[in-house]
Amino acid sequence: MGAIRDALDRARQAVTTRPIPVRTGTRLSFLLKSEKGSTAAVAARLGVSQRTVQRYLKGDRSPNAKAAAALEREVRKDWQPKVKARAEKQAAARGIVVETRARFGFRAPSGTTDDGRLRRITQHITPENSAAAFAAYRAGASEDELQAIVGGALGESYFRDGGRRAQGLDVELTDIDYIDIGY
């Protein structure tokens, strides 16, 4: 995956009204319900055999570290989808906050001194740009496409200040050190 897609995943996973189940049996029961009772489907999601899932359910065996991490990841993925969808819709309507440390390069009219450099920026981006980022994320856009969308959004909100300065400045986001997105 890419840095922006991972940041959107983390932001989406952080939205819950209840914590995910703690016990292995409860987590497995949740996944079984999601998969309409199919232990084979749960096994495929966890990367273990169907028999292993059955042993986990009976309590004959506990998941190793790799299987436990996969179990938590898969439960988080499906936990409270309506709550997450509603939060994403509200975030798209209000805008999101992007915090990043990345290299920003510029294509600007000749004579400017805006050389690309590493910057740390925390900026609220507009609802329109937020909605475009979410739409691209859901459509499975590549990391380059997401970088172009987020770079353009930061260019509009931060560098051009909503059209009050730096007209004609085209911002390019590259070399992301880290990025966090908040609803």
Side-chain angles (χ1 to χ4, degrees), residues 47-92:
V48 297
S49 71
Q50 183 176 2
R51 182 69 184 126
T52 300
V53 170
Q54 292 166 346
R55 287 182 181 130
Y56 293 162
L57 286 167
K58 285 176 63 178
D60 293 344
R61 183 184 288 176
S62 295
N64 61 23
K66 183 179 173 185
L71 180 59
E72 181 173 351
R73 182 187 66 243
E74 292 301 317
V75 169
R76 281 192 188 281
K77 195 183 298 182
D78 290 355
W79 191 246
Q80 298 185 310
K82 290 179 183 174
V83 172
K84 292 175 185 191
R86 185 173 40 245
E88 187 176 296
K89 185 177 179 182
Q90 290 171 346

Side-chain angles (χ1 to χ4, degrees), residues 25-180:
T26 310
R27 288 180 177 185
L28 284 168
S29 295
F30 172 76
L31 284 181
L32 275 171
K33 187 176 178 184
S34 296
E35 295 294 341
K36 298 177 177 68
S38 171
T39 54
V42 171
R45 288 180 69 173
L46 299 179
V48 297
S49 71
Q50 183 176 2
R51 182 69 184 126
T52 300
V53 170
Q54 292 166 346
R55 287 182 181 130
Y56 293 162
L57 286 167
K58 285 176 63 178
D60 293 344
R61 183 184 288 176
S62 295
N64 61 23
K66 183 179 173 185
L71 180 59
E72 181 173 351
R73 182 187 66 243
E74 292 301 317
V75 169
R76 281 192 188 281
K77 195 183 298 182
D78 290 355
W79 191 246
Q80 298 185 310
K82 290 179 183 174
V83 172
K84 292 175 185 191
R86 185 173 40 245
E88 187 176 296
K89 185 177 179 182
Q90 290 171 346
R94 288 190 312 256
I96 57 177
V97 175
V98 175
E99 179 181 344
T100 187
R101 182 167 175 238
R103 183 167 308 283
F104 288 87
F106 308 96
R107 288 187 293 278
S110 60
T112 63
T113 59
D114 290 326
D115 292 332
R117 66 179 190 266
L118 204 59
R119 295 175 189 245
R120 183 176 181 273
I121 295 175
T122 302
Q123 184 66 38
H124 179 268
I125 63 174
T126 65
E128 297 80 18
N129 287 324
S130 299
F134 283 126
Y137 167 76
R138 282 190 303 274
S142 70
E143 185 67 12
D144 290 340
E145 292 168 320
L146 290 171
Q147 277 185 345
I149 291 168
V150 173
L154 288 171
E156 181 182 322
S157 297
Y158 181 81
F159 294 99
R160 291 189 298 276
D161 195 16
R164 290 189 281 273
R165 61 188 169 110
Q167 277 71 15
L169 182 68
D170 187 18
V171 178
E172 188 175 79
L173 172 66
T174 59
D175 301 331
I176 297 173
D177 184 29
Y178 76 88
I179 186 165
D180 280 319

